[in-house]
PDB file of all heavy atoms in Angstrom:
ATOM      1  N   ALA B   1       0.825  -1.234  -0.015  1.00 98.00           N
ATOM      2  CA  ALA B   1      -0.029   0.005  -0.039  1.00 98.00           C
ATOM      3  C   ALA B   1       0.900   1.263   0.009  1.00 98.00           C
ATOM      4  O   ALA B   1       2.030   1.211   0.490  1.00 98.00           O
ATOM      5  CB  ALA B   1      -0.932   0.000   1.246  1.00 98.00           C
ATOM      6  N   THR B   2       0.305   2.342  -0.527  1.00 98.00           N
ATOM      7  CA  THR B   2       1.039   3.617  -0.582  1.00 98.00           C
ATOM      8  C   THR B   2       0.175   4.670   0.075  1.00 98.00           C
ATOM      9  O   THR B   2      -1.013   4.700  -0.007  1.00 98.00           O
ATOM     10  CB  THR B   2       1.395   4.005  -1.991  1.00 98.00           C
ATOM     11  OG1 THR B   2       0.225   4.080  -2.772  1.00 98.00           O
ATOM     12  CG2 THR B   2       2.353   3.003  -2.630  1.00 98.00           C
ATOM     13  N   SER B   3       0.863   5.642   0.611  1.00 96.00           N
ATOM     14  CA  SER B   3       0.217   6.860   1.149  1.00 96.00           C
ATOM     15  C   SER B   3       0.284   7.961   0.118  1.00 96.00           C
ATOM     16  O   SER B   3       1.029   7.899  -0.831  1.00 96.00           O
ATOM     17  CB  SER B   3       0.854   7.263   2.444  1.00 96.00           C
ATOM     18  OG  SER B   3       2.135   7.851   2.149  1.00 96.00           O
ATOM     19  N   ALA B   4      -0.543   8.982   0.333  1.00 91.00           N
ATOM     20  CA  ALA B   4      -0.538  10.101  -0.546  1.00 91.00           C
ATOM     21  C   ALA B   4       0.896  10.778  -0.562  1.00 91.00           C
ATOM     22  O   ALA B   4       1.252  11.448  -1.529  1.00 91.00           O
ATOM     23  CB  ALA B   4      -1.614  11.123  -0.180  1.00 91.00           C
ATOM     24  N   ALA B   5       1.607  10.653   0.555  1.00 93.00           N
ATOM     25  CA  ALA B   5       2.889  11.259   0.618  1.00 93.00           C
ATOM     26  C   ALA B   5       3.986  10.421  -0.023  1.00 93.00           C
ATOM     27  O   ALA B   5       5.122  10.881  -0.111  1.00 93.00           O
ATOM     28  CB  ALA B   5       3.343  11.457   2.102  1.00 93.00           C
ATOM     29  N   GLY B   6       3.619   9.246  -0.553  1.00 92.00           N
ATOM     30  CA  GLY B   6       4.559   8.473  -1.295  1.00 92.00           C
ATOM     31  C   GLY B   6       5.189   7.327  -0.525  1.00 92.00           C
ATOM     32  O   GLY B   6       5.997   6.609  -1.089  1.00 92.00           O
ATOM     33  N   GLU B   7       4.824   7.104   0.688  1.00 95.00           N
ATOM     34  CA  GLU B   7       5.344   6.043   1.468  1.00 95.00           C
ATOM     35  C   GLU B   7       4.736   4.673   1.069  1.00 95.00           C
ATOM     36  O   GLU B   7       3.486   4.607   0.843  1.00 95.00           O
ATOM     37  CB  GLU B   7       5.073   6.262   3.003  1.00 95.00           C
ATOM     38  CG  GLU B   7       5.543   5.106   3.910  1.00 95.00           C
ATOM     39  CD  GLU B   7       5.122   5.372   5.346  1.00 95.00           C
ATOM     40  OE1 GLU B   7       4.330   6.233   5.608  1.00 95.00           O
ATOM     41  OE2 GLU B   7       5.592   4.567   6.208  1.00 95.00           O
ATOM     42  N   THR B   8       5.516   3.688   0.900  1.00 96.00           N
ATOM     43  CA  THR B   8       5.091   2.361   0.524  1.00 96.00           C
ATOM     44  C   THR B   8       5.304   1.404   1.717  1.00 96.00           C
ATOM     45  O   THR B   8       6.407   1.396   2.267  1.00 96.00           O
ATOM     46  CB  THR B   8       5.794   1.811  -0.709  1.00 96.00           C
ATOM     47  OG1 THR B   8       5.517   2.684  -1.847  1.00 96.00           O
ATOM     48  CG2 THR B   8       5.311   0.421  -1.029  1.00 96.00           C
ATOM     49  N   ILE B   9       4.238   0.659   2.047  1.00 97.00           N
ATOM     50  CA  ILE B   9       4.418  -0.375   3.135  1.00 97.00           C
ATOM     51  C   ILE B   9       4.025  -1.658   2.566  1.00 97.00           C
ATOM     52  O   ILE B   9       3.199  -1.801   1.727  1.00 97.00           O
ATOM     53  CB  ILE B   9       3.579   0.034   4.396  1.00 97.00           C
ATOM     54  CG1 ILE B   9       2.112   0.084   4.077  1.00 97.00           C
ATOM     55  CG2 ILE B   9       4.102   1.311   4.918  1.00 97.00           C
ATOM     56  CD1 ILE B   9       1.241   0.196   5.279  1.00 97.00           C
ATOM     57  N   SER B  10       4.576  -2.747   3.183  1.00 98.00           N
ATOM     58  CA  SER B  10       4.238  -4.140   2.901  1.00 98.00           C
ATOM     59  C   SER B  10       3.676  -4.712   4.159  1.00 98.00           C
ATOM     60  O   SER B  10       4.281  -4.669   5.220  1.00 98.00           O
ATOM     61  CB  SER B  10       5.462  -4.951   2.444  1.00 98.00           C
ATOM     62  OG  SER B  10       5.973  -4.413   1.203  1.00 98.00           O
ATOM     63  N   VAL B  11       2.476  -5.264   3.995  1.00 98.00           N
ATOM     64  CA  VAL B  11       1.742  -5.862   5.160  1.00 98.00           C
ATOM     65  C   VAL B  11       1.438  -7.314   4.867  1.00 98.00           C
ATOM     66  O   VAL B  11       0.702  -7.592   3.867  1.00 98.00           O
ATOM     67  CB  VAL B  11       0.433  -5.035   5.439  1.00 98.00           C
ATOM     68  CG1 VAL B  11      -0.246  -5.648   6.709  1.00 98.00           C
ATOM     69  CG2 VAL B  11       0.714  -3.567   5.688  1.00 98.00           C
ATOM     70  N   LEU B  12       1.892  -8.209   5.618  1.00 97.00           N
ATOM     71  CA  LEU B  12       1.663  -9.660   5.448  1.00 97.00           C
ATOM     72  C   LEU B  12       0.497 -10.097   6.212  1.00 97.00           C
ATOM     73  O   LEU B  12       0.251  -9.665   7.350  1.00 97.00           O
ATOM     74  CB  LEU B  12       2.973 -10.398   5.762  1.00 97.00           C
ATOM     75  CG  LEU B  12       4.164 -10.165   4.883  1.00 97.00           C
ATOM     76  CD1 LEU B  12       5.261 -11.261   5.187  1.00 97.00           C
ATOM     77  CD2 LEU B  12       3.806 -10.240   3.412  1.00 97.00           C
ATOM     78  N   ALA B  13      -0.141 -11.154   5.723  1.00 98.00           N
ATOM     79  CA  ALA B  13      -1.249 -11.831   6.428  1.00 98.00           C
ATOM     80  C   ALA B  13      -0.868 -13.289   6.625  1.00 98.00           C
ATOM     81  O   ALA B  13      -0.579 -13.987   5.656  1.00 98.00           O
ATOM     82  CB  ALA B  13      -2.501 -11.709   5.555  1.00 98.00           C
ATOM     83  N   ARG B  14      -0.830 -13.707   7.858  1.00 98.00           N
ATOM     84  CA  ARG B  14      -0.550 -15.131   8.108  1.00 98.00           C
ATOM     85  C   ARG B  14      -1.595 -16.053   7.573  1.00 98.00           C
ATOM     86  O   ARG B  14      -1.316 -17.137   7.170  1.00 98.00           O
ATOM     87  CB  ARG B  14      -0.425 -15.270   9.616  1.00 98.00           C
ATOM     88  CG  ARG B  14       0.706 -14.527  10.327  1.00 98.00           C
ATOM     89  CD  ARG B  14       0.877 -14.899  11.752  1.00 98.00           C
ATOM     90  NE  ARG B  14       1.794 -13.999  12.448  1.00 98.00           N
ATOM     91  CZ  ARG B  14       1.416 -12.959  13.182  1.00 98.00           C
ATOM     92  NH1 ARG B  14       0.163 -12.646  13.277  1.00 98.00           N
ATOM     93  NH2 ARG B  14       2.313 -12.149  13.713  1.00 98.00           N
ATOM     94  N   LYS B  15      -2.888 -15.537   7.565  1.00 98.00           N
ATOM     95  CA  LYS B  15      -3.970 -16.452   7.115  1.00 98.00           C
ATOM     96  C   LYS B  15      -4.609 -15.976   5.838  1.00 98.00           C
ATOM     97  O   LYS B  15      -4.765 -16.718   4.901  1.00 98.00           O
ATOM     98  CB  LYS B  15      -5.067 -16.501   8.249  1.00 98.00           C
ATOM     99  CG  LYS B  15      -4.537 -17.171   9.476  1.00 98.00           C
ATOM    100  CD  LYS B  15      -5.687 -17.289  10.529  1.00 98.00           C
ATOM    101  CE  LYS B  15      -5.236 -18.042  11.766  1.00 98.00           C
ATOM    102  NZ  LYS B  15      -6.272 -18.196  12.797  1.00 98.00           N
ATOM    103  N   ALA B  16      -5.038 -14.683   5.743  1.00 98.00           N
ATOM    104  CA  ALA B  16      -5.815 -14.238   4.582  1.00 98.00           C
ATOM    105  C   ALA B  16      -5.904 -12.739   4.457  1.00 98.00           C
ATOM    106  O   ALA B  16      -5.745 -12.006   5.503  1.00 98.00           O
ATOM    107  CB  ALA B  16      -7.204 -14.878   4.553  1.00 98.00           C
ATOM    108  N   VAL B  17      -6.143 -12.268   3.273  1.00 98.00           N
ATOM    109  CA  VAL B  17      -6.442 -10.875   3.001  1.00 98.00           C
ATOM    110  C   VAL B  17      -7.898 -10.813   2.588  1.00 98.00           C
ATOM    111  O   VAL B  17      -8.316 -11.499   1.703  1.00 98.00           O
ATOM    112  CB  VAL B  17      -5.554 -10.264   1.885  1.00 98.00           C
ATOM    113  CG1 VAL B  17      -5.926  -8.841   1.630  1.00 98.00           C
ATOM    114  CG2 VAL B  17      -4.110 -10.388   2.308  1.00 98.00           C
ATOM    115  N   ILE B  18      -8.706  -9.985   3.208  1.00 99.00           N
ATOM    116  CA  ILE B  18     -10.073  -9.743   2.864  1.00 99.00           C
ATOM    117  C   ILE B  18     -10.283  -8.364   2.351  1.00 99.00           C
ATOM    118  O   ILE B  18     -10.050  -7.335   2.974  1.00 99.00           O
ATOM    119  CB  ILE B  18     -11.032  -9.918   4.131  1.00 99.00           C
ATOM    120  CG1 ILE B  18     -10.826 -11.295   4.699  1.00 99.00           C
ATOM    121  CG2 ILE B  18     -12.464  -9.750   3.661  1.00 99.00           C
ATOM    122  CD1 ILE B  18     -11.618 -11.448   6.000  1.00 99.00           C
ATOM    123  N   PHE B  19     -10.620  -8.244   1.064  1.00 98.00           N
ATOM    124  CA  PHE B  19     -10.894  -6.971   0.354  1.00 98.00           C
ATOM    125  C   PHE B  19     -12.371  -6.576   0.590  1.00 98.00           C
ATOM    126  O   PHE B  19     -13.268  -7.404   0.384  1.00 98.00           O
ATOM    127  CB  PHE B  19     -10.569  -7.043  -1.128  1.00 98.00           C
ATOM    128  CG  PHE B  19      -9.098  -6.798  -1.408  1.00 98.00           C
ATOM    129  CD1 PHE B  19      -8.132  -7.819  -1.344  1.00 98.00           C
ATOM    130  CD2 PHE B  19      -8.641  -5.556  -1.779  1.00 98.00           C
ATOM    131  CE1 PHE B  19      -6.858  -7.679  -1.589  1.00 98.00           C
ATOM    132  CE2 PHE B  19      -7.249  -5.342  -2.067  1.00 98.00           C
ATOM    133  CZ  PHE B  19      -6.394  -6.405  -1.971  1.00 98.00           C
ATOM    134  N   ALA B  20     -12.544  -5.325   0.884  1.00 98.00           N
ATOM    135  CA  ALA B  20     -13.926  -4.760   1.029  1.00 98.00           C
ATOM    136  C   ALA B  20     -13.862  -3.286   0.619  1.00 98.00           C
ATOM    137  O   ALA B  20     -14.219  -2.369   1.416  1.00 98.00           O
ATOM    138  CB  ALA B  20     -14.465  -4.878   2.487  1.00 98.00           C
ATOM    139  N   THR B  21     -13.404  -3.087  -0.621  1.00 98.00           N
ATOM    140  CA  THR B  21     -13.029  -1.741  -1.062  1.00 98.00           C
ATOM    141  C   THR B  21     -14.064  -1.009  -1.875  1.00 98.00           C
ATOM    142  O   THR B  21     -13.810   0.060  -2.440  1.00 98.00           O
ATOM    143  CB  THR B  21     -11.697  -1.824  -1.863  1.00 98.00           C
ATOM    144  OG1 THR B  21     -11.816  -2.840  -2.823  1.00 98.00           O
ATOM    145  CG2 THR B  21     -10.504  -2.157  -0.915  1.00 98.00           C
ATOM    146  N   GLY B  22     -15.270  -1.554  -1.989  1.00 98.00           N
ATOM    147  CA  GLY B  22     -16.312  -0.840  -2.764  1.00 98.00           C
ATOM    148  C   GLY B  22     -16.151  -1.071  -4.254  1.00 98.00           C
ATOM    149  O   GLY B  22     -15.203  -1.763  -4.751  1.00 98.00           O
ATOM    150  N   GLY B  23     -17.103  -0.531  -5.011  1.00 98.00           N
ATOM    151  CA  GLY B  23     -17.234  -0.770  -6.448  1.00 98.00           C
ATOM    152  C   GLY B  23     -16.423   0.194  -7.231  1.00 98.00           C
ATOM    153  O   GLY B  23     -15.458   0.834  -6.741  1.00 98.00           O
ATOM    154  N   PHE B  24     -16.789   0.344  -8.501  1.00 98.00           N
ATOM    155  CA  PHE B  24     -16.001   1.199  -9.426  1.00 98.00           C
ATOM    156  C   PHE B  24     -16.795   2.428  -9.907  1.00 98.00           C
ATOM    157  O   PHE B  24     -16.525   2.928 -10.955  1.00 98.00           O
ATOM    158  CB  PHE B  24     -15.443   0.437 -10.589  1.00 98.00           C
ATOM    159  CG  PHE B  24     -16.451  -0.405 -11.399  1.00 98.00           C
ATOM    160  CD1 PHE B  24     -17.212   0.214 -12.437  1.00 98.00           C
ATOM    161  CD2 PHE B  24     -16.722  -1.710 -11.127  1.00 98.00           C
ATOM    162  CE1 PHE B  24     -18.054  -0.486 -13.227  1.00 98.00           C
ATOM    163  CE2 PHE B  24     -17.632  -2.444 -11.886  1.00 98.00           C
ATOM    164  CZ  PHE B  24     -18.278  -1.837 -12.961  1.00 98.00           C
ATOM    165  N   THR B  25     -17.666   2.971  -9.029  1.00 97.00           N
ATOM    166  CA  THR B  25     -18.487   4.121  -9.377  1.00 97.00           C
ATOM    167  C   THR B  25     -17.662   5.281  -9.897  1.00 97.00           C
ATOM    168  O   THR B  25     -18.052   5.918 -10.865  1.00 97.00           O
ATOM    169  CB  THR B  25     -19.232   4.534  -8.121  1.00 97.00           C
ATOM    170  OG1 THR B  25     -20.356   3.649  -7.944  1.00 97.00           O
ATOM    171  CG2 THR B  25     -19.749   5.963  -8.206  1.00 97.00           C
ATOM    172  N   HIS B  26     -16.509   5.543  -9.279  1.00 96.00           N
ATOM    173  CA  HIS B  26     -15.744   6.722  -9.642  1.00 96.00           C
ATOM    174  C   HIS B  26     -14.554   6.421 -10.533  1.00 96.00           C
ATOM    175  O   HIS B  26     -13.605   7.277 -10.600  1.00 96.00           O
ATOM    176  CB  HIS B  26     -15.327   7.507  -8.390  1.00 96.00           C
ATOM    177  CG  HIS B  26     -16.483   8.029  -7.690  1.00 96.00           C
ATOM    178  ND1 HIS B  26     -17.261   9.074  -8.096  1.00 96.00           N
ATOM    179  CD2 HIS B  26     -17.069   7.714  -6.457  1.00 96.00           C
ATOM    180  CE1 HIS B  26     -18.225   9.345  -7.268  1.00 96.00           C
ATOM    181  NE2 HIS B  26     -18.168   8.537  -6.233  1.00 96.00           N
ATOM    182  N   ASP B  27     -14.607   5.421 -11.241  1.00 97.00           N
ATOM    183  CA  ASP B  27     -13.627   5.123 -12.336  1.00 97.00           C
ATOM    184  C   ASP B  27     -14.308   5.221 -13.683  1.00 97.00           C
ATOM    185  O   ASP B  27     -15.073   4.285 -14.019  1.00 97.00           O
ATOM    186  CB  ASP B  27     -12.954   3.782 -12.143  1.00 97.00           C
ATOM    187  CG  ASP B  27     -11.779   3.542 -13.159  1.00 97.00           C
ATOM    188  OD1 ASP B  27     -12.069   3.381 -14.323  1.00 97.00           O
ATOM    189  OD2 ASP B  27     -10.584   3.566 -12.759  1.00 97.00           O
ATOM    190  N   ALA B  28     -14.112   6.228 -14.431  1.00 95.00           N
ATOM    191  CA  ALA B  28     -14.788   6.505 -15.623  1.00 95.00           C
ATOM    192  C   ALA B  28     -14.640   5.406 -16.653  1.00 95.00           C
ATOM    193  O   ALA B  28     -15.552   5.058 -17.386  1.00 95.00           O
ATOM    194  CB  ALA B  28     -14.444   7.873 -16.250  1.00 95.00           C
ATOM    195  N   GLU B  29     -13.428   4.885 -16.747  1.00 97.00           N
ATOM    196  CA  GLU B  29     -13.129   3.876 -17.781  1.00 97.00           C
ATOM    197  C   GLU B  29     -13.874   2.598 -17.475  1.00 97.00           C
ATOM    198  O   GLU B  29     -14.489   1.954 -18.368  1.00 97.00           O
ATOM    199  CB  GLU B  29     -11.588   3.598 -17.849  1.00 97.00           C
ATOM    200  CG  GLU B  29     -11.257   2.571 -18.928  1.00 97.00           C
ATOM    201  CD  GLU B  29      -9.736   2.245 -18.982  1.00 97.00           C
ATOM    202  OE1 GLU B  29      -9.079   2.543 -17.923  1.00 97.00           O
ATOM    203  OE2 GLU B  29      -9.284   1.771 -19.981  1.00 97.00           O
ATOM    204  N   LEU B  30     -13.778   2.107 -16.242  1.00 97.00           N
ATOM    205  CA  LEU B  30     -14.512   0.892 -15.862  1.00 97.00           C
ATOM    206  C   LEU B  30     -16.045   1.116 -16.045  1.00 97.00           C
ATOM    207  O   LEU B  30     -16.740   0.210 -16.518  1.00 97.00           O
ATOM    208  CB  LEU B  30     -14.171   0.524 -14.431  1.00 97.00           C
ATOM    209  CG  LEU B  30     -12.730   0.054 -14.174  1.00 97.00           C
ATOM    210  CD1 LEU B  30     -12.559  -0.253 -12.719  1.00 97.00           C
ATOM    211  CD2 LEU B  30     -12.395  -1.142 -15.064  1.00 97.00           C
ATOM    212  N   ARG B  31     -16.537   2.207 -15.620  1.00 97.00           N
ATOM    213  CA  ARG B  31     -17.943   2.507 -15.708  1.00 97.00           C
ATOM    214  C   ARG B  31     -18.441   2.537 -17.188  1.00 97.00           C
ATOM    215  O   ARG B  31     -19.410   1.911 -17.533  1.00 97.00           O
ATOM    216  CB  ARG B  31     -18.278   3.803 -15.079  1.00 97.00           C
ATOM    217  CG  ARG B  31     -19.669   4.017 -14.565  1.00 97.00           C
ATOM    218  CD  ARG B  31     -19.814   5.329 -13.792  1.00 97.00           C
ATOM    219  NE  ARG B  31     -19.485   6.479 -14.582  1.00 97.00           N
ATOM    220  CZ  ARG B  31     -18.470   7.291 -14.365  1.00 97.00           C
ATOM    221  NH1 ARG B  31     -17.654   7.078 -13.307  1.00 97.00           N
ATOM    222  NH2 ARG B  31     -18.228   8.409 -15.079  1.00 97.00           N
ATOM    223  N   ARG B  32     -17.692   3.130 -17.992  1.00 96.00           N
ATOM    224  CA  ARG B  32     -18.001   3.316 -19.424  1.00 96.00           C
ATOM    225  C   ARG B  32     -17.930   1.934 -20.108  1.00 96.00           C
ATOM    226  O   ARG B  32     -18.771   1.690 -21.007  1.00 96.00           O
ATOM    227  CB  ARG B  32     -17.036   4.283 -20.075  1.00 96.00           C
ATOM    228  CG  ARG B  32     -17.254   4.533 -21.578  1.00 96.00           C
ATOM    229  CD  ARG B  32     -16.363   5.615 -22.097  1.00 96.00           C
ATOM    230  NE  ARG B  32     -14.937   5.333 -21.900  1.00 96.00           N
ATOM    231  CZ  ARG B  32     -14.111   6.006 -21.080  1.00 96.00           C
ATOM    232  NH1 ARG B  32     -14.638   6.894 -20.330  1.00 96.00           N
ATOM    233  NH2 ARG B  32     -12.864   5.695 -21.003  1.00 96.00           N
ATOM    234  N   ASN B  33     -17.012   1.122 -19.777  1.00 96.00           N
ATOM    235  CA  ASN B  33     -16.788  -0.101 -20.513  1.00 96.00           C
ATOM    236  C   ASN B  33     -17.482  -1.350 -20.009  1.00 96.00           C
ATOM    237  O   ASN B  33     -17.616  -2.402 -20.715  1.00 96.00           O
ATOM    238  CB  ASN B  33     -15.282  -0.438 -20.624  1.00 96.00           C
ATOM    239  CG  ASN B  33     -14.573   0.559 -21.550  1.00 96.00           C
ATOM    240  OD1 ASN B  33     -14.957   0.574 -22.740  1.00 96.00           O
ATOM    241  ND2 ASN B  33     -13.659   1.305 -21.085  1.00 96.00           N
TER     242      ASN B  33
END
């Protein structure tokens, strides 16, 4: 992951990563296509 200031971090998961980041409402390319 990166911050707006440009910092990059690596975060490990011993068991799993669960994404819950919402849809693509505000991406014009994905929405259009």
